[in-house]
């Protein structure tokens, strides 16, 4: 039942035109749409069943059969990916991560991050092309025009030292809430007061 709702939602999304802001150039070719804007250039691939047309300052996305569940799903997905590309070349995407732990720190060096996060050695974390990292105190800010790539790099960075549930030490997303567990001492103290 949930899948039906999702597909209907995708088709509603697909119907919405994408506004092309001033300063963005769009080039439509077979199987792809290229965007050029203030932040850079990005190409977004689209499935063969999906058609994209430009009308003045709008992109219109269509599919052959709106009654087909597969086409409807592709319709909404493609429209959202194209909208993300427009936002990427105009505003970009940002992910922030927070480092918690005594002596834990990060620094940028060329196109990589050097992480000291309580492991036996410093971790060299290479940044892929298109990703810029800034470090301010215990906050790492990742920026890029590709939403998916920014998200993937943030996830890989978090996996270097995921936050542990007792003191929250490690690397976490800035807005992530860590569910804390009580330590053994806290459990023992809690048990003794109950008696």
């Amino acid at each position: 039942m949930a899948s039906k709702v999702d597909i209907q939602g995708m088709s509603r999304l697909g119907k919405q035109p994408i506004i092309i802001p001033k300063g963005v150039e769009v080039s439509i070719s077979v199987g792809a749409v290229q965007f050029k804007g203030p932040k850079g250039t990005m190409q977004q691939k689209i499935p063969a069943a999906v058609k994209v047309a430009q009308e003045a300052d709008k992109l219109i996305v269509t599919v052959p059969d709106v009654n087909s569940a597969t086409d409807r799903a592709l319709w909404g997905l493609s429209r959202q990916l194209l909208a993300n590309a427009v936002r990427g070349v105009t505003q970009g995407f940002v992910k922030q991560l927070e480092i918690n732990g005594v002596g834990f720190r990060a620094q940028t060096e060329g196109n990589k991050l050097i992480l000291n996060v309580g492991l036996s050695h410093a971790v060299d974390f290479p940044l892929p092309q298109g990703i810029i990292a800034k470090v301010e105190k215990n906050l790492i800010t990742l920026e890029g025009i590709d939403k998916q790539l920014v998200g993937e790099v943030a996830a890989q960075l978090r996996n270097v030292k995921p936050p542990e549930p007792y003191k929250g030490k490690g690397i976490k997303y800035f807005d992530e809430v860590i569910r804390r567990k009580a330590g053994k001492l806290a459990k023992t103290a809690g048990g003794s007061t109950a008696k």
Side-chain angles (χ1 to χ4, degrees), residues 18 26-35 42-54 59-63 74-83 85:
I18 301 163
V26 180
S27 176
I28 302 169
S29 56
V30 178
V33 181
Q34 184 169 297
F35 299 91
M42 184 177 173
Q43 181 170 287
Q44 179 60 58
K45 292 182 180 178
I46 50 172
V50 176
K51 300 291 177 243
V52 181
Q54 185 173 352
L59 282 181
I60 309 297
V61 182
T62 55
V63 288
L74 286 175
W75 192 12
L77 174 65
S78 300
R79 189 260 173 212
Q80 192 56 46
L81 290 173
L82 293 169

Side-chain angles (χ1 to χ4, degrees), residues 97 154-163 171-173 176 178:
L97 299 108
Q156 290 167 8
L157 197 53
R158 184 185 181 278
N159 283 339
V160 171
K161 183 75 173 178
I171 303 172
K172 72 177 189 74
Y173 297 118
E176 182 179 2
I178 306 299

